């Protein structure tokens, strides 16, 4: 699987690109089977009428590593990331057909770490279910990448991400300061079995589902940055 030069440029300049046909229907069924047969009583599993999510996804379902990192994805990762990047976060989202779950425009400004300690230029901190997150120095976020694996056809009617191209180049960009006279919104349509590659600093949002179709996504973040000695990535995986 080869990614085009225009897609590489799109990631650098606009902050995102999409690549279809990474997973076959059979591969997706294997992924979904493993999810459905996992122990869902753990505190990293969150289930409600509007959302089913699994945090630390690759750690909680170890067999997922071989299923997710198939030959096509590995080839694309080498072309985009090289060999210096490693996994630092993984989440599974299942947005049900009747979901009214809406996410306003935001940047992904935090990273998942193993504990809370006082460090210069790290903060603010949050903690959910014994999982710690912190906003790191901006250079860490600028170098990170996110890959979103789509297990369903996803468009504007079932919560496809909407992004503001080039917003990842503006460091911390508060949603309340968006100038809609100059910014242009783009909806990232991705076919089942495709992926979206994005920079975490790109402003993005997600609408409510209106077409009674699922949107299941695996979200994996990558970094090539080492943290201060006293702090560790919560989910580091080479």
């Amino acid at each position: 699987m080869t990614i085009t030069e225009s897609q590489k440029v799109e990631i650098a300049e606009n902050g995102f690109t999409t690549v279809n046909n990474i997973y076959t229907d059979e591969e997706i069924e294997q992924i979904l089977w493993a999810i459905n047969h996992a122990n869902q009583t753990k505190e990293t599993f969150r289930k409600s009428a509007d959302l089913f999510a699994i945090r630390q996804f690759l750690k909680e379902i170890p067999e997922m590593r071989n299923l997710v990192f198939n030959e096509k994805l590995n080839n694309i990762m080498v072309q985009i990331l090289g060999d210096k990047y490693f996994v630092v976060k993984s989440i599974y989202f299942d947005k049900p057909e009747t979901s009214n779950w809406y996410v306003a425009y935001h940047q992904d400004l935090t990273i998942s770490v193993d504990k809370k300690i006082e460090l210069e230029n790290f903060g603010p901190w949050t903690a959910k279910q014994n999982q710690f997150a912190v906003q790191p120095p901006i250079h860490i976020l600028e170098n990170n990448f996110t890959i979103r694996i789509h297990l369903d056809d996803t468009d504007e009617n079932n919560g496809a991400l909407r992004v503001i191209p080039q917003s990842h180049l503006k460091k911390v960009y508060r949603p309340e300061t968006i100038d809609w006279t100059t910014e242009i919104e783009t909806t990232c349509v991705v076919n089942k079995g495709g992926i979206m590659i994005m920079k975490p600093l790109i402003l993005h949002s997600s609408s409510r589902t209106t077409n009674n179709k699922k949107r299941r996504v695996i979200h994996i973040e990558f970094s090539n940055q080492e943290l201060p000695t006293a702090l560790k990535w919560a989910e580091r995986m080479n």
Side-chain angles (χ1 to χ4, degrees):
M1 189 79 185
T2 301
I3 194 164
T4 65
E5 287 302 317
S6 63
Q7 287 171 311
K8 292 180 182 179
V9 170
E10 190 173 29
I11 294 171
E13 294 185 355
N14 291 333
F16 73 99
T17 194
T18 59
V19 188
N20 285 313
N21 301 314
I22 303 300
Y23 298 90
T24 65
D25 288 347
E26 182 180 0
E27 287 173 319
I28 291 174
E29 288 306 313
Q30 290 175 329
I31 290 171
L32 293 173
W33 188 95
I35 292 170
N36 293 332
H37 288 80
N39 178 6
Q40 300 185 9
T41 63
K42 299 179 181 180
E43 63 179 10
T44 49
F45 286 66
R46 173 189 168 196
K47 199 161 191 176
S48 69
D50 285 335
L51 175 68
F52 173 40
I54 306 172
R55 296 189 176 276
Q56 300 194 25
F57 178 65
L58 296 174
K59 290 177 68 175
E60 294 292 9
I61 311 178
E63 62 267 34
M64 201 58 66
R65 299 175 193 179
N66 290 332
L67 296 175
V68 166
F69 293 102
N70 67 5
E71 183 178 356
K72 288 183 178 180
L73 183 64
N74 288 336
N75 286 340
I76 284 177
M77 287 171 54
V78 169
Q79 294 171 63
I80 295 296
L81 307 182
D83 58 0
K84 303 297 184 183
Y85 278 78
F86 44 87
V87 173
V88 295
K89 186 175 183 178
S90 59
I91 309 173
Y92 168 73
F93 293 107
D94 178 353
K95 192 172 180 180
E97 300 94 325
T98 57
S99 174
N100 284 318
W101 184 49
Y102 166 80
V103 180
Y105 266 107
H106 67 285
Q107 296 171 296
D108 292 339
L109 293 175
T110 64
I111 59 174
S112 295
V113 293
D114 64 332
K115 57 182 174 292
K116 180 180 179 179
I117 58 175
E118 292 300 321
L119 283 174
E120 186 177 1
N121 298 322
F122 281 77
W125 291 79
T126 61
K128 295 180 181 179
Q129 299 171 321
N130 295 319
Q131 297 178 70
F132 299 95
V134 64
Q135 184 171 327
I138 195 70
H139 74 269
I140 293 179
L141 298 173
E142 288 175 328
N143 282 282
N144 286 1
F145 285 86
T146 298
I147 292 179
R148 294 169 60 89
I149 299 164
H150 288 250
L151 307 180
D152 300 286
D153 290 328
T154 308
D155 59 25
E156 65 276 7
N157 298 309
N158 65 328
L161 281 193
R162 294 177 296 165
V163 303
I164 299 178
Q166 301 184 7
S167 55
H168 69 298
L169 301 174
K170 301 179 181 180
K171 300 188 183 294
V172 176
Y173 189 172
R174 299 298 179 189
E176 62 271 18
T177 68
I178 297 173
D179 182 357
W180 289 111
T181 64
T182 59
E183 302 289 16
I184 299 174
E185 181 181 81
T186 298
T187 299
C188 301
V189 175
V190 186
N191 294 340
K192 176 182 178 181
I195 64 173
M196 177 182 178
I197 306 169
M198 60 182 270
K199 301 293 290 182
L201 285 178
I202 194 169
L203 277 164
H204 56 284
S205 69
S206 177
S207 299
R208 296 177 175 87
T209 299
T210 60
N211 64 357
N212 202 38
K213 291 184 179 180
K214 279 182 172 290
R215 189 205 68 173
R216 292 167 292 188
V217 174
I218 298 169
H219 171 114
I220 306 176
E221 297 178 15
F222 299 84
S223 184
N224 64 351
Q225 304 288 300
E226 298 296 344
L227 299 176
T229 305
L231 200 61
K232 292 182 173 59
W233 294 100
E235 301 175 55
R236 178 167 180 157
M237 182 190 309
N238 292 328

